[in-house]
Amino acid sequence: MTATAVSAKPVRAAQKGQQTKAIIVDAALALAAQIGLEGLSIGAVAEITKMSKSGVFAHFGSREELQISVVREYHARFEQEVFFPALEAPRGLPRLRAMFANWMKRTSTEIDSGCIYISGASEFDDRPGPVRDALVESVSIWQAAVLRAIVQAQSEGHLRADADERQVAFEIHGLILALHYEARFLQVPGSIGRAKVGFDNILARSATPDAPKAGAAAPAGRRLKTVR
């Protein structure tokens, strides 16, 4: 056996290990969306993935580490679906609208599957520890991105300079929370449409006469820095 073949073995083993870990996290994320992070266990994930408990444990070492990995994977997918595509829109209201539209698109699918951010907040709101810290960090990163998009809309002259940017961000976030409650828990018809109207109403209260209308093209400007 050549030295090259011997040295390639650890590389292949590491790649296989990463692939296996990704499969486990994917299965755990799907399970957590249905039963919550608190419902996750090494045994439950092992059963779903058809692996041994010791095999799952070898990749994470603890239930807590598995939960944290699920939070991080959920956040990565959220960024890929909601945040990064919105960066293609021009700064200001077009970008803020794109962020909300992507958020709504993802939320509409999570009405059936569940949202890790929302269920996790309910489970870990009064439970200090690494899992809660991971949830708080992920949600805070997204809220900071929304706030920054609002501030940029002000700097572009699309929203009034005297508008309370934190209040606008608070109300937008509140729409998503209300939508989950109304559509998922109460199963009220038309909830998605009301959330969209609510978003338009929030912007209308702070919009300037020069603000671009929904769907209107706007000149591209500087790009929003990625939040990581």
Side-chain angles (χ1 to χ4, degrees):
M1 183 178 295
T2 65
T4 302
V6 172
S7 63
K9 283 187 175 181
V11 175
R12 289 197 296 268
Q15 291 175 339
K16 184 177 180 180
Q18 288 299 317
Q19 291 172 352
T20 302
K21 187 172 183 178
I23 291 172
I24 295 172
V25 172
D26 186 65
L29 177 56
L31 182 60
Q34 297 176 8
I35 65 176
L37 286 167
E38 186 59 24
L40 282 181
S41 69
I42 297 293
V45 175
E47 183 176 352
I48 291 176
T49 56
K50 308 301 181 183
M51 295 178 61
S52 65
K53 291 183 181 181
S54 60
V56 175
F57 186 83
H59 286 281
F60 298 95
S62 69
R63 174 172 173 264
E64 182 176 82
E65 186 57 38
L66 174 63
Q67 291 170 319
I68 293 172
S69 295
V70 166
V71 172
R72 290 172 177 165
E73 178 64 20
Y74 180 86
H75 179 69
R77 295 186 186 188
F78 186 93
E79 285 189 322
Q80 290 297 327
E81 293 181 25
V82 179
F83 179 59
F84 293 129
L87 297 182
E88 299 301 321
R91 285 167 55 102
L93 281 188
R95 183 170 294 170
L96 181 59
R97 287 194 176 103
M99 292 172 70
F100 185 77
N102 294 343
W103 199 2
M104 283 289 295
K105 183 178 179 180
R106 182 178 177 93
T107 299
S108 65
T109 64
E110 291 182 332
I111 288 173
D112 294 323
S113 64
C115 173
I116 297 295
Y117 286 162
I118 294 177
S119 62
S122 177
E123 293 173 320
F124 292 91
D125 59 348
D126 58 352
R127 296 177 57 186
V131 179
R132 185 184 190 280
D133 292 345
L135 281 164
V136 170
E137 180 184 19
S138 296
V139 174
S140 297
I141 287 173
W142 171 238
Q143 288 187 327
V146 173
L147 181 62
R148 185 164 57 253
I150 294 169
V151 172
Q152 289 183 340
Q154 290 177 305
S155 67
E156 294 293 324
H158 300 162
L159 294 179
R160 298 196 320 272
D162 64 348
D164 186 338
E165 64 274 9
R166 292 192 177 276
Q167 183 64 33
V168 174
F170 180 89
E171 292 182 20
I172 291 174
H173 189 213
L175 286 174
I176 298 296
L177 297 179
L179 175 57
H180 271 274
Y181 195 92
E182 293 264 327
R184 182 169 169 80
F185 179 56
L186 299 178
Q187 299 182 354
V188 177
S191 299
I192 293 178
R194 277 187 283 276
K196 292 178 179 178
V197 171
F199 178 72
D200 291 338
N201 290 341
I202 291 171
L203 296 187
R205 291 200 302 271
S206 301
T208 65
D210 296 329
K213 303 300 181 182
R222 292 168 294 171
R223 297 197 38 109
L224 178 65
K225 290 184 179 179
T226 300
V227 178
R228 295 297 295 176

